[in-house]
Amino acid sequence: MVKTAHEDLHSEQGAVRGDRQARARNPVIKVEDLAWLEFEKPDLDAAEQFAHDFGFATAYRNDVELHLRGTLPGSQCVIIRKGRTSRFVGPVFRASTRADLERLARANGISVVDRRGLGGGAVVALEDPSGMPVRIVADVEQLPELPGQAPLLLNFGQVRRVNATQRPPREPARIERLGHVVLETPRFGRALDWYLENLGLIVSDFLHFPGQRDRGPTMAFIRCDRGATPADHHTLAMHLGPSRRYVHSAYQVADLDAVAAGGEFLKERGYKRSWGIGRHIQGSQIFDYWRDPDSVLVEHFADGDMFDNTVEVGWAQMSASGLAQWGPSATRDFIGAKPSAHMIRDLVVALGKQDNEFDIRRLIGLLKVATS
Ligand SMILES: [Fe+2]
């Protein structure tokens, strides 16, 4: 049965004949979820301090490696290794079984290797068509649950809290789990097909540049196909742009008060809010975006959409005003209106190269997104 979950707010359109595929007919495997994200940073002490203020717990730490986790059982959310500069290394996805890893490795002409390091398991190391290293793991030892932050008892709808006050403590939000990562790529279409065909991911929503519906999507919100078991609206989101780069990653907290009180805590500690608090359209999350000390963008979120594999793809126009149902206007910092020298260099290179999907009309579309 096909449900339509895309009828509200900028998301009213469905697919039409000839659109880019939203799911592969016969993917090699279907991954279960993102396992964790890997970064490098020069200062692990500063990274750990921010991580604790943001709401992570340290799962493991030595001189060259820091593992950060949430309260839910599972693997760590983030691995940070000591490196010369602050950079995103790549995403790691979790396959259901070692047999899936074998199938994926065979399809790509490589072998499964035993994973070295904490938690063991097995790994397949691939590269997506953008050149992003992507690893897929299985049988990694799972961390036990930690005490979490309970959602507040709310007197919405009916009275549940009587003779008791609402006094959430001013403390860091407690991260429950990793939700999603967003990447930019100059080879959007090829990269998208690669994730659909190799990892069995399926598209929840496509966005197109203003006035360029006929040229196909330039952003995709992609979820895991877990059959009848609901999955996050997007585990991976990708958009077309001049750079191959990490955009942001998002971590779930208990509820709106955890987002807001956790945000107040970060503000008091002097960290820089990029954009928030608001509620997204694609995915519906209540969101709050922060910059870590290396200016890496990270998101607290709560109450995101969970879709099983019956929900068909939605289509909408990409615009800065269409990023949220409510909340402050998207900031220049968030939408990348203040590009770094590095990003400007990537733009010039991308426009000069033929081997990517970023051209002058796409640049005009991207500029329209920022102002619409
Ligand atoms: Fe996000």
Side-chain angles (χ1 to χ4, degrees):
M1 194 181 77
V2 173
K3 289 182 213 162
T4 52
H6 302 282
E7 279 153 14
D8 309 314
L9 279 168
H10 300 262
S11 185
E12 68 284 358
Q13 311 155 31
V16 295
R17 185 186 289 273
D19 277 340
R20 177 172 284 281
Q21 66 170 356
R23 44 183 88 183
R25 197 160 298 174
N26 192 18
V28 181
I29 66 167
K30 293 178 177 178
V31 292
E32 280 184 339
D33 207 346
L34 264 176
W36 63 84
L37 303 176
E38 299 197 356
F39 295 82
E40 285 181 1
K41 283 178 177 292
D43 186 345
L44 293 188
D45 291 336
E48 190 172 23
Q49 182 60 58
F50 173 80
H52 290 175
D53 292 340
F54 188 73
F56 288 109
T58 296
Y60 175 74
R61 168 80 203 262
N62 67 15
D63 288 345
V64 292
E65 205 161 301
L66 168 64
H67 294 208
L68 301 169
R69 62 162 299 180
T71 55
L72 293 177
S75 54
Q76 63 277 346
C77 304
V78 172
I79 295 180
I80 304 174
R81 296 194 182 84
K82 202 167 168 69
R84 268 191 315 117
T85 56
S86 168
R87 71 178 193 101
F88 178 61
V89 176
V92 180
F93 290 88
R94 189 177 73 237
S96 310
T97 61
R98 172 130 189 169
D100 275 359
L101 282 194
E102 299 285 356
R103 189 174 313 128
L104 184 61
R106 229 177 5 257
N108 284 277
I110 57 169
S111 304
V112 177
V113 296
D114 287 334
R115 190 176 156 267
R116 283 175 299 163
L118 236 52
V123 61
V124 170
L126 299 173
E127 198 172 83
D128 80 9
S130 318
M132 174 74 72
V134 178
R135 268 161 300 158
I136 303 88
V137 297
D139 295 341
V140 176
E141 206 176 296
Q142 300 294 286
L143 301 165
E145 187 163 6
L146 293 178
Q149 221 168 2
L152 295 182
L153 193 59
L154 302 171
N155 279 341
F156 291 164
Q158 56 178 310
V159 176
R160 293 189 192 85
R161 196 181 69 255
V162 177
N163 299 336
T165 59
Q166 195 72 285
R167 297 283 185 275
R170 179 65 53 86
E171 61 180 5
R174 226 162 298 163
I175 302 298
E176 296 176 341
R177 64 183 179 91
L178 168 63
H180 61 261
V181 63
V182 181
L183 305 174
E184 175 180 316
T185 168
R187 295 178 179 172
F188 171 81
R190 273 175 281 172
L192 175 64
D193 286 344
W194 186 90
Y195 284 98
L196 305 192
E197 282 158 15
N198 280 284
L199 306 188
L201 300 179
I202 56 180
V203 179
S204 298
D205 275 291
F206 275 135
L207 302 184
H208 61 86
F209 281 164
Q212 299 186 18
R213 173 71 170 83
D214 58 318
R215 283 195 77 187
T218 47
M219 181 156 194
F221 295 88
I222 317 164
R223 71 183 184 275
C224 294
D225 180 352
R226 300 187 197 155
T229 304
D232 288 308
H233 170 275
H234 52 282
T235 288
L236 173 67
M238 271 197 310
H239 65 78
L240 176 64
S243 311
R244 186 200 87 197
R245 68 181 182 103
Y246 164 96
V247 180
H248 74 257
S249 53
Y251 304 88
Q252 181 176 279
V253 299
D255 61 4
L256 172 58
D257 277 82
V259 172
E264 287 304 304
F265 183 86
L266 286 166
K267 198 165 76 181
E268 283 169 6
R269 299 298 293 250
Y271 297 111
K272 187 168 171 274
R273 176 180 266 134
S274 175
W275 182 36
I277 296 170
R279 191 185 272 278
H280 277 310
I281 296 177
Q282 279 78 19
S284 307
Q285 302 95 337
I286 292 171
F287 63 83
D288 197 15
Y289 289 91
W290 291 86
R291 295 274 175 192
D292 86 352
D294 298 310
S295 209
V296 172
L297 191 60
V298 285
E299 174 187 2
H300 279 149
F301 78 92
D303 193 38
D305 293 335
M306 301 294 288
F307 286 0
D308 65 23
N309 74 350
T310 63
V311 180
E312 293 290 306
V313 66
W315 276 80
Q317 181 163 295
M318 194 173 177
S319 65
S321 64
L323 293 172
Q325 307 184 38
W326 54 258
S329 298
T331 58
R332 287 167 57 80
D333 178 71
F334 181 80
I335 60 178
K338 291 189 285 186
S340 63
H342 194 82
M343 285 159 77
I344 291 168
R345 200 175 58 228
D346 284 352
L347 173 64
V348 173
V349 170
L351 287 173
K353 274 192 180 167
Q354 298 301 310
D355 69 338
N356 67 53
E357 297 155 36
F358 198 77
D359 56 27
I360 196 75
R361 200 169 152 224
R362 289 310 205 183
L363 174 61
I364 292 165
L366 191 60
L367 293 172
K368 274 192 191 153
V369 168
T371 55
S372 59

